[in-house]
Amino acid sequence: MSGMYLEDFAPGQTYRSSGSIRIGADRIRAFASEFDPQPFHLDEEAARLSVFGGLAASGWHTAAVTMRLFVESGFRPAGGIVGAGLDELRWPLPVRPGDELHIEAEVLDVRASKSRPSQGLIKVRMTTCNQKGEAVQIFVGNLVVPRRG
Amino acid sequence: MSGMYLEDFAPGQTYRSSGSIRIGADRIRAFASEFDPQPFHLDEEAARLSVFGGLAASGWHTAAVTMRLFVESGFRPAGGIVGAGLDELRWPLPVRPGDELHIEAEVLDVRASKSRPSQGLIKVRMTTCNQKGEAVQIFVGNLVVPRRG
């Protein structure tokens, strides 16, 4: 399998999505209908009266779109992007209809696994930004990456 | 708006989803096609040769289904379920085609906001389990909840 191994990663490396994804009101409502059916993700009028003050995407929709952007970035571990989990995640601003999202990823840490000699873990800070460059989601993820040889 | 306020929550309270959601292979592939188009989420044969050893749902699919189960549980803050973010998230086991997921949520902490007197934050440990009772996802989430009066 082609791609990068643990030995190819180093703290400070950065990756950006090649493009952006626009989140339309129809997609916000479709995702929410299936996974997060709350009024502020489904209905403009109900959303106006909610804490969001207008239609906003589910945070899990933002997370899912972030993954799409990550898969389409130049970040290519051998064996694929396999997440063990996250250290933290924040949604500092809502995603609004028409927002165009892109990602900026930075490798924070690279280490071999103690229990599994064939693999390691890398820590990546993932920032999802809207078209104004404002962060709408930030997480620190832990990814499983194979070692060479 | 009906629902629970900060004053109604206390550490130790638990909530379960009223039912479960079955994750079929078709749904695994559909979610992955849109949000996480990697071979081990899309193709049985490629998945068999991957670190997962067989088709597995995207972790973000599990997270999205977890939200659906949470919205349909008896957990009803006034103003809806509004997440500020997560302290941590782990995917200890893959979700396989045919798995039936349910959730168990426990309130860990309840506190007033220092900066916003009208609201508070509650910390909830959310465990998503399969039909064997095995945890497939665990996170600690921070939710924004309104105060009374």
Side-chain angles (χ1 to χ4, degrees), chain A residues 33-56:
Chain A
S33 296
E34 187 169 358
F35 297 117
D36 193 350
Q38 301 195 87
F40 37 66
H41 299 318
L42 291 168
D43 180 79
E44 189 66 64
E45 180 62 18
R48 205 172 52 75
L49 302 171
S50 78
V51 65
F52 292 107
L55 200 68

Side-chain angles (χ1 to χ4, degrees), chain B residues 25-86:
Chain B
D26 56 334
R27 300 307 306 146
I28 289 177
R29 284 191 287 260
F31 186 96
S33 296
E34 186 169 358
F35 297 117
D36 193 349
Q38 301 195 87
F40 38 65
H41 300 317
L42 291 168
D43 180 78
E44 190 66 63
E45 181 61 18
R48 205 173 52 75
L49 302 171
S50 78
V51 67
F52 292 106
L55 200 67
S58 169
W60 300 108
H61 190 180
T62 305
V65 167
T66 296
M67 189 64 200
R68 174 78 190 221
L69 288 163
F70 199 23
V71 170
E72 290 177 347
S73 74
F75 187 86
R76 289 278 154 79
I81 301 176
V82 177
L86 311 175

Side-chain angles (χ1 to χ4, degrees), chain A:
Chain A
M1 224 170 188
S2 67
M4 296 172 75
Y5 290 81
L6 189 71
E7 293 78 0
D8 301 318
F9 291 103
Q13 290 171 341
T14 58
Y15 298 84
R16 289 176 62 101
S17 45
S18 48
S20 60
I21 294 180
R22 182 177 177 279
I23 314 290
D26 55 335
R27 299 307 305 146
I28 288 177
R29 283 190 288 258
F31 186 96
S33 296
E34 187 169 358
F35 297 117
D36 193 350
Q38 301 195 87
F40 37 66
H41 299 318
L42 291 168
D43 180 79
E44 189 66 64
E45 180 62 18
R48 205 172 52 75
L49 302 171
S50 78
V51 65
F52 292 107
L55 200 68
S58 169
W60 301 107
H61 190 179
T62 305
V65 167
T66 296
M67 189 64 200
R68 174 79 191 220
L69 289 162
F70 199 24
V71 170
E72 291 176 347
S73 73
F75 186 87
R76 290 277 154 78
I81 301 176
V82 176
L86 312 175
D87 286 350
E88 58 174 319
L89 179 149
R90 287 184 296 123
W91 291 295
L93 282 175
V95 170
R96 302 297 189 178
D99 275 2
E100 293 215 15
L101 305 185
H102 68 273
I103 59 157
E104 297 169 9
E106 180 179 356
V107 177
L108 300 180
D109 190 43
V110 177
R111 61 194 166 86
S113 167
K114 283 165 199 157
S115 54
R116 301 192 182 187
S118 66
Q119 64 189 41
L121 280 172
I122 65 174
K123 206 178 274 294
V124 174
R125 186 200 296 120
M126 171 71 67
T127 307
T128 309
C129 299
N130 63 21
Q131 66 282 2
K132 296 179 213 161
E134 298 162 332
V136 295
Q137 180 186 271
I138 303 166
F139 69 68
V140 175
N142 296 300
L143 301 172
V144 180
V145 177
R147 296 179 74 173
R148 271 215 171 73

Side-chain angles (χ1 to χ4, degrees), chain B residues 79-102:
Chain B
I81 301 176
V82 177
L86 311 175
D87 286 351
E88 58 174 319
L89 180 149
R90 286 183 298 122
W91 291 295
L93 283 175
V95 171
R96 302 296 188 180
D99 276 1
E100 293 215 15
L101 305 185
H102 69 272

